[in-house]
Amino acid sequence: MSAARTSATEPAFDLGPALLFCPADRPDRYAKALDRADAVILDLEDGVAPAGRAEARRAVVAASRALDPERVVVRVNPVGTPDHRADLDALAGTSFRTVMVAKADASLPATLDARLGECRVVALCETAAGVVAAAELARRPEVVALMWGADDLVASLGGTSSRRADGRYRDVARHARSTVLLAAGAAGVAAIDAVHLAVDDLDGLRVEAEDAAAVGFAATACVHPSHVAVIRAAYAPPEGDVTAARGLLAAAEGHDGVFVHEGRMIDGPLLKQAEAVVRRATPRS
């Protein structure tokens, strides 16, 4: 199930804009999470206490008979840990083949190839080593998406906070976000924006999700069901923008090169942006 690299504007990984994390030790929440979001990320890593991971694996295995595997991502523990090996052993007996590897870095590929063979991998770049390796990870044939994380990143640097007092990301987090987005775009894979941990800060979430959609992220991950609607709304372009984009693309059909449309000089990049607006407004089949 390796990704087919078509173009940077059409990533092979497209589950929808709102990806909801669900602790893997709460199987009672699996179906609810999948029903509320575009896809669910069953979390075998930070969402589960180490003592509960064996039982969580058994729950994930049992759930593979009931959940749509095409809309499920399983976050596994970091490469090189005993939990990582146990996670992959458990998943080998399921229909789940999209895995998110926590704290991914340059050590990712060989281990995954040996354990799961043809799998779809979301590389979670959430440490200094992971962000530095983002471009290398994005070029791996099994990697279909990159995601980044702010708080593990800052922790890996010995820091204490990824955000300023006003809620904005600190510069190092913003740099990591841009680095991961650029690496994904250059390789033609999807980029997933980080979770907004302030559950009640829906305005802050909206601002970040709108920015994510504007700069090219394919999705935003979240940790609470109340965030799903906000993310979906942020990624859905306004009706006026869709109408304008369709009008621009229709006008372009009569031109081979640069042309003027409604007083504005139009060239290739602006047409690609219009195509992206229409694509986001088009329901997935």
Side-chain angles (χ1 to χ4, degrees):
M1 223 185 295
S2 298
R5 304 297 174 84
T6 53
S7 75
T9 58
E10 296 182 11
F13 178 88
D14 183 15
L15 296 179
L19 313 181
L20 179 60
F21 274 98
C22 179
D25 61 351
R26 293 301 305 270
D28 56 307
R29 297 181 181 177
Y30 290 1
K32 293 178 182 178
L34 192 57
D35 181 62
R36 294 181 181 183
D38 297 307
V40 65
I41 304 170
L42 302 182
D43 187 10
L44 287 166
E45 196 223 6
D46 285 345
V48 181
R53 286 177 183 157
E55 182 60 32
R57 289 184 200 104
R58 287 190 284 271
V60 170
V61 171
S64 70
R65 296 188 292 269
L67 301 179
D68 177 3
E70 297 301 319
R71 296 178 56 221
V72 174
V73 180
V74 181
R75 178 160 76 166
V76 299
N77 284 275
V79 169
T81 65
D83 278 316
H84 177 81
R85 294 191 295 272
D87 292 344
L88 295 188
D89 284 341
L91 291 180
T94 73
S95 56
F96 300 137
R97 285 296 181 272
T98 304
V99 297
M100 175 183 288
V101 180
K103 300 174 180 63
D105 57 27
S107 66
L108 166 68
T111 302
L112 273 175
D113 288 345
R115 289 276 170 167
L116 275 183
E118 291 193 3
C119 58
R120 292 159 50 90
V121 176
V122 179
L124 179 46
C125 304
E126 54 182 341
T127 63
V131 172
V132 169
E136 177 183 350
L137 290 168
R139 290 192 296 268
R140 296 299 306 178
E142 66 270 33
V143 171
V144 295
L146 298 183
M147 180 175 162
W148 79 287
D151 291 293
D152 277 301
L153 169 65
V154 170
S156 79
L157 295 169
T160 60
S161 174
S162 66
R163 294 182 184 267
R164 303 181 187 277
D166 62 3
R168 292 181 301 160
Y169 280 123
R170 296 183 185 277
D171 289 348
V172 69
R174 294 173 58 201
H175 173 76
R177 182 177 187 252
S178 297
T179 297
V180 169
L181 175 62
L182 289 169
V189 303
I192 302 169
D193 204 13
V195 299
H196 192 82
L197 290 176
V199 173
D200 295 331
D201 181 24
L202 298 184
D203 287 338
L205 170 66
R206 175 183 53 77
V207 170
E208 288 181 5
E210 287 177 348
D211 180 74
V215 296
F217 280 95
T220 294
C222 57
V223 294
H224 195 273
S226 66
H227 287 192
V228 170
V230 177
I231 292 169
R232 284 175 171 166
Y235 276 79
E239 184 176 345
D241 290 356
V242 178
T243 300
R246 287 178 172 152
L248 173 57
L249 294 174
E253 293 178 2
H255 300 274
D256 293 328
V258 175
F259 66 99
V260 175
H261 177 70
E262 296 182 349
R264 187 184 186 195
M265 188 69 72
I266 303 299
D267 58 6
L270 294 181
L271 293 177
K272 289 182 179 179
Q273 291 175 18
E275 289 169 355
V277 170
V278 173
R279 188 166 57 250
R280 288 194 185 277
T282 303
R284 297 181 310 281
S285 57

